[in-house]
Amino acid sequence: MKKKFIAAMLVGAMTLSMTACGGSAKDTGAATEAESTAEASTEAESAAAEESTETAEENTEAADDSAETETAEDNTESASADISTVTAGKLTVATSPDFAPYEFYAVDESGTPKLAGFDIALAEYIADYLGLELEVVPVDFDGVLMELQTKAVDLGVAGLSPDPKRESIMDFSDIYYEGGQSFVCTQENKDKFTSLEDTNNSDIEVGAQTGSIQVDLAQTNSPDAEIIQLTKVTDIIAELLAGKLDGAYIETAVAESYAKNYPELCVVLDVPYDGAEGSAIGISKGNEALKAGVNEAIAKAIEEGKMDEFVATANEQASGDIIEGLLDQQ
């Protein structure tokens, strides 16, 4: 009995020893499986943590973008909220649609005329920038000046030069298009005008648009000539082509556009101009908030390359089927 008891004790001791050294193969496998599970769990938690971090970063970026968008929208809303216009929620613009490629009517394939030109495109851009609805009022050029003087419109967009003589009736935006001045005649007469001195002759008649700086240029450079003022540039061109005018003072971009459409015409001389060389927008006098908003929009359009696009499109349209002047006068 004593031997059996000792043997049993030895067997028990061996069992305890095996357990202390790692137990059975089944127990060892279970431990290994547990460790693998723990490692997998750790990896999963790590991956989840990384994904959570990435998601958080993406959410932060999205929040930042959203905040920037909302800020831009708020700024636009704030800017337009500070601006008073003739009609609430609208930007009313006077233009003279007889000045391609600045403003004119482009006729589509169905024969429908639509206001076009880089002035019109810029007006649309400004209205969008300010969060306002654009309303265009087509009038003769001198009508643009009158509409601004009486504050019947917010802006005058008609290839206006910022002539100091006009500052009593309107404010001016920054220059949005660099232009120039030219003397135009027919190809038949181009040899008569080799310099501006040749235009100062009592035997000739020169044309200029009523109310424009071209009238001043004609009076300065051709005081001895008979100066014929006509309401529309189209009338000046018609008189030139008919031989009733010997020459005319016309803004360079417009003159080049007409010369392209009428090969009989010739842009023969550059005309110096002491004022700011280029075009600006006429703004209702004293509306400083509107002036600031318009200048911001112009700067943005130039920075984004939009003005170049507007000019290129207008030049292309001006070479097609167009109408210049008021539709009710056609």
Side-chain angles (χ1 to χ4, degrees), residues 1-80:
M1 291 293 293
K2 187 175 181 179
K3 288 183 179 179
K4 288 182 180 180
F5 177 75
I6 293 172
M9 289 179 65
L10 289 173
V11 171
M14 290 176 65
T15 302
L16 287 172
S17 178
M18 289 178 65
T19 302
C21 291
S24 66
K26 180 178 180 180
D27 290 338
T28 301
T32 303
E33 183 178 349
E35 290 174 358
S36 299
T37 302
E39 289 177 359
S41 177
T42 301
E43 290 176 0
E45 289 175 359
S46 177
E50 289 179 2
E51 183 176 353
S52 177
T53 301
E54 291 176 358
T55 302
E57 290 176 351
E58 290 173 358
N59 289 339
T60 300
E61 291 175 0
D64 289 342
D65 291 342
S66 177
E68 289 177 3
T69 301
E70 289 177 0
T71 299
E73 291 175 352
D74 290 343
N75 288 340
T76 299
E77 291 175 1
S78 176
S80 61

Side-chain angles (χ1 to χ4, degrees), residues 50-327:
E50 289 179 2
E51 183 176 353
S52 177
T53 301
E54 291 176 358
T55 302
E57 290 176 351
E58 290 173 358
N59 289 339
T60 300
E61 291 175 0
D64 289 342
D65 291 342
S66 177
E68 289 177 3
T69 301
E70 289 177 0
T71 299
E73 291 175 352
D74 290 343
N75 288 340
T76 299
E77 291 175 1
S78 176
S80 61
D82 293 337
I83 293 173
S84 61
T85 55
V86 171
T87 302
K90 289 187 177 182
L91 185 67
T92 307
V93 176
T95 191
S96 178
D98 63 343
F99 208 54
Y102 283 82
E103 47 266 332
F104 56 96
Y105 286 97
V107 182
D108 63 20
E109 294 179 354
S110 65
T112 303
K114 181 181 178 181
L115 276 171
F118 61 80
D119 270 359
I120 303 302
L122 178 59
E124 292 172 348
Y125 182 93
I126 292 171
D128 289 342
Y129 183 87
L130 298 178
L132 298 170
E133 178 186 349
L134 179 65
E135 181 176 350
V136 180
V137 181
V139 292
D140 287 332
F141 183 77
D142 53 351
V144 174
L145 306 182
M146 183 63 69
E147 294 289 291
L148 280 168
Q149 184 172 11
T150 59
K151 297 190 175 184
V153 297
D154 303 304
L155 305 178
V157 183
L160 288 166
S161 296
D163 188 346
K165 295 179 182 178
R166 295 171 177 162
E167 291 178 349
S168 63
I169 63 173
M170 70 182 77
D171 291 327
F172 287 105
S173 72
D174 295 335
I175 297 292
Y176 64 87
Y177 178 74
E178 298 289 345
Q181 305 298 326
S182 295
F183 185 82
V184 181
C185 65
T186 60
Q187 294 285 352
E188 184 180 355
N189 287 336
K190 69 178 182 179
D191 291 337
K192 294 181 181 180
F193 303 107
T194 59
S195 68
L196 282 174
E197 284 80 6
D198 296 331
T199 71
N200 189 27
N201 188 322
S202 59
D203 293 332
I204 68 172
E205 295 182 352
V206 298
Q209 187 177 28
T210 304
S212 70
I213 66 164
Q214 285 78 33
V215 172
D216 294 337
L217 293 174
Q219 292 170 344
T220 299
N221 295 286
S222 312
D224 293 337
E226 184 175 355
I227 300 171
I228 308 297
Q229 297 187 41
L230 296 172
T231 303
K232 297 181 292 184
V233 176
T234 49
D235 293 338
I236 294 173
I237 298 300
E239 296 289 274
L240 280 170
L241 293 173
K244 295 180 179 180
L245 289 175
D246 296 289
Y249 289 86
I250 301 176
E251 201 275 340
T252 301
V254 178
E256 290 174 346
S257 177
Y258 277 109
K260 183 176 181 180
N261 289 331
Y262 299 95
E264 306 98 309
L265 294 177
C266 177
V267 182
V268 67
L269 297 171
D270 289 330
V271 180
Y273 174 55
D274 293 335
E277 199 69 56
S279 298
I281 293 174
I283 303 171
S284 181
K285 190 75 177 172
N287 196 335
E288 294 301 323
L290 178 58
K291 181 178 178 180
V294 168
N295 282 336
E296 285 180 14
I298 289 173
K300 190 71 173 177
I302 294 173
E303 177 188 349
E304 294 177 340
K306 290 295 183 182
M307 272 309 305
D308 291 336
E309 293 178 17
F310 297 158
V311 172
T313 299
N315 283 327
E316 182 178 349
Q317 290 176 312
S319 65
D321 189 7
I322 67 173
I323 295 174
E324 293 184 275
L326 300 177
L327 293 179

